[in-house]
Every structure is written in C-alpha cells, then in structure tokens.
C-alpha cells in the first residue's frame, strides 16, 4: 500500500513574474475565500530553463516537494516565458513542443494532484499564445489537468488597458487577473 505524504497547504501557486509581482495581493485574495496558499513566483521563470535551473519551474516544484511542502491542488501560472523557447526551438511541430514542455511540469508536480493552469497572454507571440492555450484546453478535455483560466480570452481587446507591455500586467490588469485566478481555482475543499 502506498502512503500518500501529508499535504501542508490546500494550494501551491507556482508562477513567474506575474505571480511574484502580486504575491501578497494574491495571497490575501485566496485567504479571503478560504484557501491556505503557498506562493512561489519568480521573474523570468519558465517551465524548463535550459541554461539556468534557478529559473526552472520544474526544479522549483521538485525543491518545494523535497522540502516537505505539498498540496492537493497546484495552481500553475507559467508559460509566458516558455513562448520564447518554443518560438526558437526550431521544432517542426510547435503544438507537440508545447505539449512536451507542459507535461514536464505535470510530471514534476505528480499525477495525484489537482492542477489548475492559468493560460498565457503575450502579444509579442500571439500565434504561440493561442497554441499554448489550446494545448491547455486539450489537457483539460483529456483530464490531465483539472482546469484552465483562459486569460487570453479574458484579456482579448484590452492590451492597452491591462498590460504595461506585451506580457506584464498593469495595475488595472491585475484587478481583473487576480479575481479570474481565484475564480478559476474554485472553492477550497
């Protein structure tokens, strides 16, 4: 019989600069609706960072779990920085390259977790943004991830309202993003 390790939090949020910038506000918003959250955001973080593991979310997830921190639910806010690597991979099939990258993250978290993923929006990589989010939707449909916050659709047509640049949010953007993330997570168990 396999004994499941104790979970120390109800949700772990693993993200990039979008998460890091508002980690305190996100923590408060999650607590307001009853979630106990462990939040780890880092500037320039991608799912897998080939030249520096400091920026690798796979390495961060493994380190978090090795430290004894875990949760039944993981909220993943990653992919914006991965678009650069996918665009420059020289891959014939960008869909397959995207799927392989996302599955690296799913493997690091583990199959016995509920995973909600916040979709990407990067106006500098518009086509790849759609590919990335389409792959996330396919993973929801197949049951590999539990849910997906469609930030691309929610922010469409608001590039000047919600974004400080092509990818990072403005203060106004965060007033929409944080509630969308919390709603996408759903109620705590």
């Amino acid at each position: 019989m396999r004994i499941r390790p104790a979970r120390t939090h109800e949700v772990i949020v693993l993200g990039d600069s979008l998460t890091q910038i508002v980690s305190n506000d996100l923590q408060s918003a999650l607590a307001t609706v009853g979630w106990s959250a462990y939040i780890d955001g880092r500037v320039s973080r991608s799912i897998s960072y080939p030249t520096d593991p400091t920026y690798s979310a796979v390495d961060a997830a493994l380190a978090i779990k090795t430290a004894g921190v875990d949760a039944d639910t993981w909220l993943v806010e990653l992919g914006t920085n991965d678009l650069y690597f996918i665009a420059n991979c020289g891959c014939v099939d960008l869909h397959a390259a995207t799927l392989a990258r996302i599955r690296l993250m799913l493997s690091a978290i583990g199959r016995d977790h509920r995973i909600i993923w916040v979709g990407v929006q990067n106006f500098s990589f518009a086509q790849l943004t759609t590919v990335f989010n389409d792959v996330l939707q396919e993973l929801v449909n197949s049951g590999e991830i539990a849910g997906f916050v469609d930030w691309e659709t929610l922010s469409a047509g608001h590039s000047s309202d919600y974004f400080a640049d092509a990818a990072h949010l403005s203060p106004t953007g965060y007033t929409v993003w944080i509630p969308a993330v919390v709603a996408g997570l759903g109620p705590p168990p």
Side-chain angles (χ1 to χ4, degrees):
M1 173 194 282
R2 182 174 170 225
I3 298 175
R4 194 173 100 179
R7 308 297 188 179
T8 56
H9 290 79
E10 292 168 341
V11 63
I12 292 175
V13 180
L14 187 63
D16 57 27
S17 58
L18 297 180
T19 297
Q20 182 187 30
I21 290 167
V22 292
S23 61
N24 291 336
D25 293 334
L26 183 57
Q27 182 87 42
S28 294
L30 290 168
T32 297
V33 296
W35 283 98
S36 168
Y38 176 94
I39 299 177
D40 185 332
R42 182 174 185 95
V43 172
S44 299
R45 180 178 278 158
S46 64
I47 293 167
S48 174
Y49 200 95
T51 58
D52 188 345
T54 304
Y55 299 104
S56 167
V58 167
D59 289 332
L62 296 173
I64 288 167
K65 291 175 76 175
T66 298
V69 178
D70 206 348
D72 287 325
T73 299
W74 283 59
L75 180 80
V76 179
E77 180 278 308
L78 293 164
T80 302
N81 296 312
D82 293 273
L83 298 178
Y84 171 82
F85 294 113
I86 296 166
N88 293 291
C89 72
C91 304
V92 175
D93 186 342
L94 297 177
H95 181 276
T98 301
L99 180 60
R101 252 179 124 69
I102 291 170
R103 283 192 171 144
L104 285 173
M105 190 73 251
L106 300 180
S107 179
I109 294 170
R111 293 185 185 271
D112 62 339
H113 295 82
R114 175 180 175 256
I115 299 171
I116 307 295
W117 202 297
V118 180
V120 299
Q121 176 63 285
N122 187 325
F123 295 101
S124 295
F125 295 98
Q127 181 182 0
L128 276 178
T129 291
T130 299
V131 169
F132 197 97
N133 292 323
D134 286 349
V135 169
L136 290 176
Q137 186 60 60
E138 290 168 16
L139 291 170
V140 169
N141 295 345
S142 72
E144 287 184 66
I145 63 175
F148 149 62
V149 177
D150 187 358
W151 181 237
E152 180 184 17
T153 298
L154 291 170
S155 64
H158 293 282
S159 63
S160 62
D161 301 325
Y162 294 175
F163 295 87
D165 57 20
H168 293 93
L169 298 174
S170 68
T172 300
Y174 276 117
T175 65
V176 178
W177 186 85
I178 291 173
V181 168
V182 172
L185 190 55

